[in-house]
Amino acid sequence: EGGAGAGAGGGGDGGSGPQAGVSGRQKLLAGAWGQYTKSVEKHQVGVFQGIDRDVTNIGKGLHNSAIAVQETQRNVRTAKELLGQISQCLENVDTLVVPIVLQREGNF
């Protein structure tokens, strides 16, 4: 009984034949493969999470850029309006104020 238990354990090399050695190697390979698979899966999960985070950040960046573009467009429109008002004021100065000043000084 004791001899059979020791042979079935597969720990020796030749105790109960080649099947015990193959079984032990298969267990080692299966364990190593399991660890490798878990490691690969963990790495893949990390990579996918990183990609997901990067895509999210890109999306946020694009959204912020779109908002900045809209604000810039509003600022350009406001600047155009103000420049138009300034231009109108300068025309008014040319047509209204300059002749009055020249007339007062006797140059008109």
Side-chain angles (χ1 to χ4, degrees):
E1 185 174 326
D13 51 324
S16 58
Q19 287 185 340
V22 170
S23 175
R25 275 187 245 127
Q26 285 176 340
K27 287 179 184 177
L28 287 174
L29 288 173
W33 180 255
Q35 288 178 344
Y36 170 77
T37 302
K38 286 180 185 177
S39 175
V40 168
E41 287 174 359
K42 183 178 178 182
H43 176 72
Q44 286 176 337
V45 167
V47 168
F48 289 132
Q49 287 174 341
I51 291 170
D52 185 51
R53 196 169 34 250
D54 290 345
V55 168
T56 299
N57 288 337
I58 290 170
K60 288 178 182 177
L62 289 173
H63 177 73
N64 292 339
S65 294
I67 290 173
V69 166
Q70 290 173 348
E71 290 174 0
T72 301
Q73 288 173 336
R74 275 196 300 271
N75 290 340
V76 167
R77 281 192 299 269
T78 301
K80 283 182 179 179
E81 290 172 11
L82 292 174
L83 287 173
Q85 292 173 4
I86 291 170
S87 177
Q88 185 63 47
C89 289
L90 291 173
E91 287 179 23
N92 290 342
V93 166
D94 281 345
T95 57
L96 300 174
V97 176
V98 171
I100 293 172
V101 170
L102 292 176
Q103 189 175 18
R104 281 187 186 167
E105 293 180 3
N107 297 328
F108 187 66

